[in-house]
Amino acid sequence: MPRKRDADAEEVEIDVEDDSDSDDGGTKRRTNRRQAAGRGGRGGGAKGRGRGKKPDSDDDDEDEAPRGRGRGANKKRPAKKRGGDDDEDDSEDEAPKKKRGGAANRKKGGKAQDSDEDDSDDGKGKKGRKGGKKGGKEDEDGKGKKGGAKGKDKDDDKDKKKKKKKKDDSSTDSNRDSDEEEEESMSEGEMARLMEEVEEKKKLIANIRNKPWRMKRRLTVLKEAQEFVDKFEGALGKGKGRKWYAYKVMMTKKWIKFQRDFENFRTACIPWERKIKEVESHFGSSVASYFIFLRWMYGMNLVLFGLTFGLVVIPEVLMGLPYGSIPRKTVPRAEQDTAMDYSVLMDFNGYCKYSVLFYGYYNDQRTIGLLKFRLPLSYLMVGIGSFGYSLMLVIRTMAKNADVGGGDGEEGEFTFAWKMFTSWDYLIGNAETADNKYASITTSFKESIVDEQENQKDENIHLRRFLRVLANFLITCSLGGSGYLIYFVVKRSQEFATRDDLSWYEKNELEIIMSLLGLVCPPLFETIAELEDYHPRIALKWQLGRIFALFLGNLYTFLFALFDEVNTKLEEEQSIKNASIWALKEYYANYTRLLNDTDSTPPPMNPADVIRGPCWETAVGIEFVKLTVSDIQVTYLTILIGDFARAVIVRFLNYCWCWDLEAGFPSYGEFDISGNVLGLVFNQGMIWMGAFYAPGLVGINVLRLLSSMYYQCWAVMATNVPHERVFKASKSNNFYMGLLLLILFLSLLPVVYTIMTLPPSFDCGPFSGRQKMFDVIMETIDLDLPAFMGTLFSYAANPGLIIPAVLLMVLAIYYLNSTSKAYQNANMELKKKMQMARDEEKNRRNNKDSTNQVLKDLEDLMPNRSLAPPAPPEPEKPPEPEARPTKTKAGSAGKGVNLQKDVALASSNPSARGPVNRPPGPRGPGPGVGLGPGRGRGRGAPPR
Amino acid sequence: MGNKQTIFTAQQLFYRYRDLAPQLVPLDYTNHPDVKLPYELIGSMPELKDNPFRQRIAEVFSEDGQGNMTLDDFLDMFSVLSEMAPRDLKAYYAFKIYDFNNDDFLCKSDLEKTLNKLTRNELTEEEVRMVCEKVIDEADLDNDGRLSLEDFQHMIVRAPDFLSTFHIRI
């Protein structure tokens, strides 16, 4: 394209222009003069200029001259093109000066001093103009060349400026004197005008920092403007305004600072941000996404912990009956000898079992303590509330993440450009942070490169599809196989349960098979997934889903076994209950018979000696706690051995080994994202299921998450290496959240089932003695709430009300769903439109004049076409082939199709006549700043 | 990170400037002595010393283009890099900073230099080439194979964290 030229082209262009100055007539001279005035009259003109109508554009002009080499020339081009505009500009420029001068003259009468002043001003201007023509040329030449000349030029400029400034100062002084004398005689119009100028100045003061000027210039202009405002504001009776203004500015600054501090404070409140950033910078966002997930879990568990401990555990500890007062709070006599043994405690028996950690410890008193705290009700509510809270939180987070994912649709447009130009944080002033930042930038570039390569991959679709189908088939087979295996083993174990002569293997068969499956299957899946050749991010999701399916089997067997156990416990309990009731009755019978006293005092038995049921709830709770603790142990040991020991061996044995351990076989471990995420998810499932039966479990889990945050952060930084293909995690963690939601539902089911159907133990826990656990609620409604509430509840529980409500909800969901789909469609449409607009803009820029057939026809019709400077089209031609290759290349690099079309369009139009209307030189944009409006205007303007 | 978050005044900045070389800079600046601090001193400021673009920053803001700064240049630099500076101004100077060969265009060589500085040469040549091509492909509106200031501004004003990253606090 002819517009893009280098500095040397620029030089040529200017020369041509200056040569043709004489015969070209009006327009050129005018522009030149304008330039010169801008240059020469800098200091002197600054005042008048500042007061001029368009200080901004003028100042830009002035500013460009000294710094952007060739920027001035660039600016000149549009100015020339719209000759008329330029005229106006000039007149506008000068008008205020003149006006002012005139006004001053009028005001000041025939003051000699003042007229002198004006004269000198004028003279200066003229001189500046005259010299400016030459100087301007020189200037531009000098700037055309790079380097040294520029410095000299600048010095010159500076000198000039200084001189001018001095003169200027004196002039302002004298001006002020005279003005002050004449103030009173100002007319209305002048007042208005002055006010306007003051406003302009004020604006200038406010915007001074927005101008890309050198500090010196800024200071000068600022000083002048302030002086002016000071002086004339007083005259206009607005001197107070300044204070108010200063106050406002100060307050804005304070406000901004406060906001910043607040923001800092808020980010400082987010825990482990730095740790995670550090991990992210070395291992990429996918690994960091695990830690973010972990942190999120920690937050949620903290709330659950607060609920359980605040409303259940602590009230019980503070206000409930102390240990040893009733049978359920006492260790039975038979167990008392071993109750403090370490091994027993580690199995959560002994004192642990009869502690506040487990369900059985809680008493069934309706209210406890002075505050009449309804513990049983609170217990049930907290149990249900934790589920409710978790559900809400998970779903809310998912919705928010989805929102984030959909919000930044523009992301894709400038991924690499933004990465390149905005990723370095200029705030970094610390070597370590800088190192991290380097690492993180590199990682993020690598991530994007992987994404991009994935996009560009041209593949054999049929082969890939076949491989993917095959892989899925294989994995389904292995999943089905392991499912059957689990089923088979469970069946067998039920069979074994009735026998006594079992070998060690037969006893532990289920566990062994399960852990073997857990050990073998994930790597197997990973191997099979190689076939599919997905992007690592998608591959991770598949892997997660598959292992999840496998682990579901694990969960299922566990629950199965648990329910079996509960059922046997229930039977046992029934018999014990009968027995104890019978014993009690017998005791009472004996008691009354012996003492002839019908007072039913309880039997004088030590609480440790009372016969008690198995308390299946505590058993379940213990099961879950054990499971959680063993999970913690296994995880930590795996990290310690699998990662740390391996890293140590690889690192230090490498000196004396026959092959390269670091690069070769064992190497360092990679961080296993899928395994860790699933571990976390399943662990949380255990917590949800077990928390109802073991309130202490939440506390254990909080500790676990807290420690594993530090431990895993350390482990990953110390012992792992980044993945081979560092990939970017999807912006929303919604896949993890989805898994979590699934687990939440799965763990909700058994708990709700037990609460709703199984009878609670008769002698332990807050619901003992009731038929069902939720009877507590009924009791509360009946006893504590006013009667109408009870009727209200009974109405609400009526199926006739519930079914319509469900129907209504379904309808609402349907409606919302369809609306959201409609919005989605609209969104897509808009996105498409934006893309199209962008392409169009690109096209238009590409083939400015050449393709615009209509405009060209119009140009042909213009009568004064012949008057236009006859510029030969030949010199125009050469640049085009030069430009074309770059275009094609750039096009083929990426979004090929569109651009290719452009090229075709451009070349199919042989009558590329647009550029004819002026010499080739001026069309090339200065290497300086291509100003948008200038170009835009240049495109369609009819030739003159 | 620079954790002190005062909005610094010219006064403070002057002391910062002077602290760099107390023996060179007089305390009295009323008659504008012509003092320049060499780049070595400017580049060793804690705010700049870890910045991969420190040399470019100094060059762009210094009047002689060599990185030797007068007090005015110094003030200029921090006023542009301050939080209060407007987006366009920042974009303009950012463009200058990334324009290594001063030709007023970001061409491939500029981009490569930027990228290598950002990643400490850790990307392979192939990757660097690809990233540069992508950048040009994304941001080059007029398809001349390099980025003009206009292209750059068009791209950078849409960047979400340009403003938050392109500033220095003292």
Side-chain angles (χ1 to χ4, degrees), chain A residues 1 4-6 63 67-69 71 146 150-151 154 158 209-216 218-219 253 256-257 260-261 264 274 410-435 437-439 441-442 445-446 448-449 452-453 456 838 841-843 845-846 848 883 886-887 889-891 893-895 899 902 925-933 935, chain B residues 1-3 5-7 32 34 46-54 57 60-63 71-73 75-76 79-86 89 92-93 96-98 101-106 108 111-112 114-115 117-120 122-123 127-128 130-152 154-156 158-162 164-169:
Chain A
M1 287 273 110
K4 292 93 214 172
R5 291 277 187 79
D6 276 325
D63 163 60
R67 36 174 71 192
R69 275 157 294 121
R71 239 178 124 187
K146 288 170 200 169
K150 190 171 139 206
K154 279 217 173 107
K158 236 192 330 196
R209 72 168 84 239
N210 301 4
K211 309 246 155 42
W213 298 343
R214 289 279 175 211
M215 191 49 82
K216 192 168 270 172
R218 258 192 260 189
L219 282 179
K253 272 187 195 166
I256 288 173
K257 188 167 159 15
R260 199 170 68 194
D261 286 349
N264 281 346
R274 268 202 151 175
E410 243 194 318
E411 170 95 347
E413 206 178 326
F414 293 121
T415 336
F416 281 97
W418 285 349
K419 273 219 173 83
M420 185 176 280
F421 296 120
T422 67
S423 56
W424 182 260
D425 193 345
Y426 281 65
L427 282 172
I428 290 173
N430 153 320
E432 201 183 331
T433 325
D435 282 346
K437 194 71 190 175
Y438 282 121
I441 289 173
T442 314
F445 266 117
K446 278 189 181 153
S448 296
I449 288 171
E452 190 57 34
Q453 278 168 348
Q456 283 180 351
R838 189 163 169 252
E841 198 182 355
K842 251 188 175 178
N843 293 355
R845 280 162 193 271
N846 290 346
K848 262 168 209 121
T886 58
K887 206 197 303 173
K889 207 166 116 207
K895 305 165 181 150
L899 302 179
D902 302 344
V929 190
L931 286 172
R935 280 186 189 191
Chain B
M1 293 219 187
N3 276 332
Q5 290 150 13
T6 44
I7 296 175
H32 302 279
D34 189 21
E47 284 78 20
L48 289 179
K49 74 174 174 9
D50 292 308
N51 196 320
F53 304 110
R54 58 184 177 278
I57 295 175
V60 164
F61 285 101
S62 65
E63 219 159 336
L71 177 62
D72 279 349
D73 297 335
L75 292 180
D76 257 341
S79 97
V80 169
L81 290 173
S82 80
E83 199 152 315
M84 307 289 284
L89 187 66
Y92 173 74
Y93 278 100
K96 291 233 149 214
I97 287 171
Y98 295 127
N101 51 12
N102 288 328
D103 65 351
D104 286 314
F105 281 100
L106 300 183
K108 272 221 173 110
L111 295 181
E112 273 164 22
T114 311
L115 188 59
K117 276 194 187 291
L118 271 181
T119 58
R120 284 186 174 162
E122 279 196 27
L123 295 183
E127 285 168 330
V128 169
M130 185 190 140
V131 169
C132 292
E133 261 171 26
K134 280 302 290 178
V135 169
I136 286 179
D137 182 47
E138 282 169 357
D140 183 21
L141 288 179
D142 45 13
N143 267 335
D144 57 354
R146 52 192 186 172
L147 305 186
S148 63
L149 177 61
E150 197 188 339
D151 297 335
F152 185 76
H154 178 257
M155 177 268 296
I156 210 87
R158 283 163 179 72
D161 39 10
F162 172 63
S164 61
T165 54
F166 195 73
H167 75 96
I168 292 183
R169 290 182 202 147

Side-chain angles (χ1 to χ4, degrees), chain A residues 721-751:
Chain A
V721 287
H723 290 249
E724 201 176 336
R725 294 171 77 194
V726 187
F727 59 95
K728 190 158 50 185
S730 54
K731 201 133 204 195
S732 56
N733 272 349
N734 266 1
F735 195 75
Y736 300 166
M737 289 292 168
L739 293 182
L740 198 64
L741 193 65
L742 197 61
I743 277 289
L744 180 55
F745 271 116
L746 288 180
S747 55
L748 189 67
L749 287 178
V751 175

Side-chain angles (χ1 to χ4, degrees), chain A residues 902-920:
Chain A
D902 302 344
V903 175
L905 262 176
S907 49
S908 72
N909 196 348
S911 61
R913 223 204 280 84
V916 188
N917 50 3
R918 53 190 95 74

Side-chain angles (χ1 to χ4, degrees), chain A residues 68-143:
Chain A
R69 275 157 294 121
R71 239 178 124 187
N74 200 14
K75 186 79 180 185
K76 210 187 306 172
R77 186 161 33 82
K80 203 195 310 160
K81 267 181 236 145
R82 33 172 194 130
D85 286 345
D86 195 41
D87 259 347
E88 275 161 33
D89 260 5
D90 258 9
S91 56
E92 262 174 15
D93 220 4
E94 266 151 64
K97 224 201 257 178
K98 261 187 230 154
K99 238 195 270 170
R100 213 186 149 272
N105 268 343
R106 235 181 300 142
K107 272 185 277 174
K108 291 155 202 163
K111 283 211 173 168
Q113 183 205 7
D114 190 60
S115 58
D116 260 356
E117 185 68 44
D118 263 6
D119 273 357
S120 71
D121 238 343
D122 273 0
K124 210 194 304 167
K126 264 178 215 155
K127 226 188 323 181
R129 258 171 235 168
K130 241 185 243 161
K133 212 193 251 174
K134 218 169 85 189
K137 192 166 139 197
E138 274 169 19
D139 264 358
E140 257 140 24
D141 279 352
K143 265 165 225 150

